[in-house]
Amino acid sequence: MKTILAIDDNKSNLTSIEAVLQDNLTNCKVLIAHSGKEGIEIAKKEQPDTILLDIIMPDMDGYETCSRLKENKSTKHIPVIMITAIDTNTESRIVGLNIGADAFLHKPIDPVELSAQVKVMLRIKAAEDQLREDKNVLNVQIEKKIIELSKTNKTLQLEITERKQAEKDLKESEEKWRSLTKFSSSHISLIDLDYKIQFINHTAPDLTIEQVIGRRFTDFVPPDYYKIATDCFDKVVQSKKP
């Protein structure tokens, strides 16, 4: 059963969200929190598959709550959908993305859009969980192989062969991740430190993936937002946090 945590200080909002999710998602459990602090504690304990987080809350707003969730080892992998006022500007969205938010919804919330966004986050979470599990299994296998090599005094050539196999397995795991993201409705890309796009799963209708790969993402940013985009990217790189 998939679990969704909704965090909002407004009880009527929580009631509406719970009703929409129960009506549109099968085998789904909805958890409720009335504050950021309560939501963080529930997230740590219950490990929900997705979190719906309202921005405007007393004491601890959505930005701070999201930041704390992403800084905590046990909750940093949980996708967060931030719920914003209809007049939220681009800078506010960038702030949210910079601290780890995965998606945004505007008030008043459209039930169809809410259900679709949650389904996307659940698919991404499942794919990322599987990838981490594959990598953990692979790391254990590598450790076992290293121990076996030291105990049996195998030749250097055999060690090289084993490591090549491990690299091959890791590459296959990464290709599996790429395959999963290819069918995601969300736009996902990998960008290197030179701003160059190394991978992208979707493009605009008038562009092919081949036309985008290898180009700087700034080539596709409107001039008015160039500095905002590069500043945001550089800040992420310097902080070494996703």
Side-chain angles (χ1 to χ4, degrees), residues 4-123:
I4 295 104
L5 170 61
I7 306 174
D8 196 321
D9 64 308
N10 189 308
K11 292 183 180 180
S12 62
N13 289 343
L14 291 173
T15 301
S16 299
I17 290 173
E18 185 176 14
V20 170
L21 295 178
Q22 296 288 7
D23 289 342
N24 292 277
L25 298 178
T26 58
N27 199 26
C28 169
K29 177 182 179 182
V30 181
L31 304 175
I32 298 299
H34 299 91
S35 68
K37 183 178 180 180
E38 182 186 7
I40 291 172
E41 293 304 315
I42 293 176
K44 289 178 181 178
K45 180 180 178 180
E46 301 293 338
Q47 293 294 298
D49 297 285
T50 297
I51 296 175
L52 294 168
L53 176 60
D54 189 43
I55 290 181
I56 307 301
M57 294 188 294
D59 300 327
M60 184 188 300
D61 65 15
Y63 294 124
E64 184 178 354
T65 303
C66 181
S67 179
R68 293 193 182 188
L69 287 167
K70 294 301 181 177
E71 289 172 356
N72 187 280
K73 185 177 180 180
S74 66
T75 58
K76 66 180 182 180
H77 297 301
I78 303 173
V80 175
I81 301 175
M82 301 196 81
I83 301 175
T84 71
I86 196 168
D87 60 348
T88 300
N89 56 31
T90 301
E91 288 74 13
S92 297
R93 290 171 62 88
I94 290 175
V95 170
L97 293 170
N98 200 28
I99 60 177
D102 298 275
F104 285 84
L105 283 173
H106 291 295
K107 293 180 181 179
I109 299 175
D110 179 75
V112 175
E113 184 181 7
L114 171 61
S115 302
Q117 283 275 27
V118 170
K119 289 177 181 178
V120 169
M121 292 300 108
L122 291 176
R123 289 199 298 269

Side-chain angles (χ1 to χ4, degrees), residues 178-232:
R178 289 173 182 264
S179 177
L180 288 169
T181 58
K182 179 180 179 181
F183 297 101
S184 169
S185 60
S186 292
H187 288 262
I188 304 171
S189 62
L190 298 179
I191 302 172
D192 66 20
L193 298 181
D194 293 324
Y195 300 167
K196 291 184 179 179
I197 300 171
Q198 300 299 323
F199 167 81
I200 191 167
N201 63 338
H202 300 301
T203 66
D206 58 339
L207 290 171
T208 65
I209 290 179
E210 289 74 17
Q211 290 174 318
V212 175
I213 297 297
R215 292 179 62 183
R216 294 188 174 191
F217 81 91
T218 50
D219 292 346
F220 306 98
V221 176
D224 291 345
Y225 291 98
Y226 182 92
K227 189 175 187 307
I228 293 176
T230 54
D231 286 351
C232 179

